[in-house]
């Protein structure tokens, strides 16, 4: 029987993060081709109730200790290595998120297993797992082959469907009694993000504005269209840097990754750092005066046009349709 796949479940302040379901779904897809069991590892104190949400795993290992409550990679890697050895799992999935990004390299050093970071796609080829890794902000997609399915793979958030990793059936749970020494890195404080703004990662329609919107007043036009469509406004970095919209609306490498049904891009060139945040949108519609703008290479629909002329017309048409 194939060796188990071990998924490091990510929880944040008592909530299972979406990346966990995305990894479980990806693991299930690999397991479908190899027959491997899928195990999950959950860390942190009082996490027992959360195990019920990990029904896509055949078994959940739980290391229930307060030392693992704070997101400190070296401590998490200690627990992960113990369980990885105990479960004899040669293939480990970790989230490529702010919380988990540092764990993979530490585990790779301690176990000698190869590490593939920024993985966006997986396929099984014979006895090997081929991981497509996104490099240089999306400019290069490199296929990395892990012979005999051995390795640590850090999966990119939003790249795998979360639905495939949700399961209602309560999994078997095994508590692992483990004392983790207090890490040298001390977690000092959690800063709660500003509240009150919309969560652009949850919107099904987004109206994105870039430098081509030209002035803060013109952002209001995009706001009006977003409202008419029942969505929200977001922006590329230059718009945020200008202070025309809050940081919570920034899309891209140093902002948020979004996956709306429709992403309208007004005056956005489509730089790799922005593209990284919008590439999982179901439908991208770009409006740009420059026919050679890179955004047209990836957009599903495009118009070479002036955003400031298109916006008022669209607002009128959408309102008329609704009215
Ligand atoms: C480490 C790092 C992280 C970064 N993180 C991010 C990030 O998270 N998000 C992000 O967006 N960027 C990020 N950037 C910046 C990124 O490289 C680009 O500079 C940025 O995305 C460009 O924004 P833009 O498309 O709005 O502006 P520009 O590239 O200046 O494009 C403006 C576009 O508007 C078009 N235009 C002009 N006038 C009009 C008009 N009237 N109507 C229609 N079109 C018009 C132009 O043809 C042009 O294509 C990052 C960069 C680095 C180095």
């Amino acid at each position: 029987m194939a060796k188990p796949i071990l998924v490091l479940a990510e929880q944040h302040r008592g909530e299972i993060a979406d990346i966990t379901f995305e990894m479980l779904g990806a693991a299930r897809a690999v397991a479908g081709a190899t027959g491997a069991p899928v195990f999950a590892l959950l860390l942190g104190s009082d996490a027992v109730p959360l195990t019920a949400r990990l029904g896509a795993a055949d078994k959940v290992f739980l290391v229930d200790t307060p030392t693992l409550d704070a997101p400190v990679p070296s401590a998490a890697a200690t627990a992960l290595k113990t369980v990885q050895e105990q479960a004899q799992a040669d293939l480990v999935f970790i989230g490529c998120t702010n919380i988990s990004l540092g764990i993979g390299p530490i585990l790779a050093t301690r176990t000698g297993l190869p590490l593939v970071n920024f993985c966006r796609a997986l396929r099984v080829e014979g006895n090997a797992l081929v991981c497509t890794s996104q490099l240089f902000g999306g400019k290069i997609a490199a296929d990395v082959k892990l012979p005999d399915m051995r390795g640590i793979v850090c999966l990119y958030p939003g790249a795998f469907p979360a639905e495939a990793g949700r399961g209602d059936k309560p999994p078997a749970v095994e508590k692992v009694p483990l004392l983790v020494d207090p890490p040298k890195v001390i977690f000092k404080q959690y800063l709660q993000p500003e509240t009150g703004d919309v969560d652009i990662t949850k919107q099904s329609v987004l109206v994105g504005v870039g430098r081509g919107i030209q002035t803060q007043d013109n952002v209001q036009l995009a706001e009006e269209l977003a409202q008419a469509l029942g969505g929200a406004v977001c922006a590329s970095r230059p718009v945020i840097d200008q202070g025309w919209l809050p940081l919570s609306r920034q899309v891209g490498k140093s902002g948020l990754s979004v996956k709306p049904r429709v992403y309208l891009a007004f005056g956005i060139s489509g730089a790799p750092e922005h593209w990284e945040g919008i590439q999982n949108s179901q439908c991208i519609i770009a409006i740009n005066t420059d026919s050679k703008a890179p955004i047209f290479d990836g957009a599903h629909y495009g118009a070479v046009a002036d955003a400031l002329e298109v916006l008022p017309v669209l607002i009128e048409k959408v309102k008329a349709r609704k009215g």
Side-chain angles (χ1 to χ4, degrees), residues 210-211 236-237 250-254 267 269 273-274 288 306-307:
R211 210 194 307 260
S236 66
R237 186 159 143 178
Q250 183 175 321
V251 174
K253 190 183 192 68
S254 45
S269 61
E273 293 83 6
H274 188 79
N288 198 302
D306 188 328

Side-chain angles (χ1 to χ4, degrees), residues 236-282:
S236 66
R237 186 159 143 178
V239 172
I240 307 299
D241 288 348
Q242 292 279 351
W244 296 348
L245 282 169
L247 186 59
S248 51
R249 303 291 182 110
Q250 183 175 321
V251 174
K253 190 183 192 68
S254 45
L256 294 164
S257 287
V258 295
K259 39 187 175 185
R261 282 174 54 214
V262 182
Y263 185 86
L264 286 140
F266 288 94
I268 296 177
S269 61
E273 293 83 6
H274 188 79
W275 188 257
E276 199 173 317
I278 65 168
Q279 60 195 340
N280 292 312
S281 308
Q282 279 178 39

